[in-house]
């Protein structure tokens, strides 16, 4: 019975999220891009959370996640993210919208916002999103990345060997800790609506067929600046 209730609740949450997505306007998607840009800028402005320059220089992709968690008895974590990849010519792609979330079942109360930056260190990890839902930390190893504030005092480690480095505003997080930060999923509905195209995630990320709208150009420019 417990497993059945869990399955039914999860199915309801997925259906509700899909319905809510259809109701969003282009202005709503612009706000998502702007909020993710603000998260990245805030991280980089604070040495306690900033991704070091030498890590960014090796990055092959960036995911900026904005998640929410609220509930009583049953908590459902939901949210959104944007993904950019560095292409073969060294330029960063247009940002693509993703779904981001995680369902947790247990006694909970109140609410929490979770802001996360994922630094993707290889070219294979972004492509995992082409197939469907991707579980961070399960489908690819994810560890807490070194912070700019601690970089000078740290010996060079093998942290960058992990495919995903996680930067998150959570107290007690230490470099090298293995993490699971929920799931990511391509959001073709949102990207088609915002970019006014039938191109999906592979074409958005790895082609030059889509001209960046003015609303996302500041995010692209900032990523190009910090990770040239």
């Amino acid at each position: 019975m417990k497993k059945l209730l869990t399955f039914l609740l999860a199915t309801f949450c997925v259906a509700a999220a899909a319905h809510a997505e259809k109701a969003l306007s282009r202005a709503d998607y612009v706000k998502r891009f702007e909020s993710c840009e603000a998260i990245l800028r805030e991280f980089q402005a604070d040495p306690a959370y900033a991704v070091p320059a030498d890590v960014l220089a090796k990055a092959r992709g960036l995911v900026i996640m904005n998640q929410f968690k609220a509930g009583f008895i049953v908590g459902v974590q939901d949210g959104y993210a944007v993904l950019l990849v560095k292409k073969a010519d060294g330029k960063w792609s247009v940002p693509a919208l993703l779904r981001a979330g995680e369902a947790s079942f247990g006694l909970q109360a109140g609410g929490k916002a979770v802001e996360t930056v994922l630094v993707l260190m290889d070219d294979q990890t972004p492509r995992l999103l082409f197939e469907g839902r991707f579980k961070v930390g399960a489908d690819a190893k994810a560890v807490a990345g070194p912070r700019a504030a601690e970089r000078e005092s740290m010996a060079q480690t093998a942290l960058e060997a992990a495919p995903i480095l996680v930067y998150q505003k959570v107290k007690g997080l230490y470099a090298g800790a293995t993490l699971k930060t929920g799931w990511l999923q391509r959001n073709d509905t949102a990207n088609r609506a915002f970019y006014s195209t039938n191109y999906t995630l592979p074409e958005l990320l790895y082609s030059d067929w889509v001209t960046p709208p003015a609303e996302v150009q500041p995010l692209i420019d900032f990523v190009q600046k910090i990770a040239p």
Side-chain angles (χ1 to χ4, degrees), residues 107-127:
L107 292 174
Q108 297 182 35
K112 182 173 68 170
V114 181
E115 298 175 350
T116 308
V117 175
L118 305 180
V119 183
L120 311 182
M121 302 303 292
D122 60 30
D123 292 312
Q124 290 72 42
T125 301
R127 297 174 186 271

Side-chain angles (χ1 to χ4, degrees), residues 113 127 198 202 217-218:
R127 297 174 186 271
N198 286 324
Q217 195 62 54

Side-chain angles (χ1 to χ4, degrees), residues 12 29 50 54 58 72 86 98 113 157 161 175 179 183 190 225-226:
F12 170 78
Y29 294 132
D54 61 332
K58 300 175 185 177
F72 182 74
K86 183 180 283 187
L98 306 174
T157 68
L179 300 173
W183 54 262
K225 176 183 177 180
I226 64 175

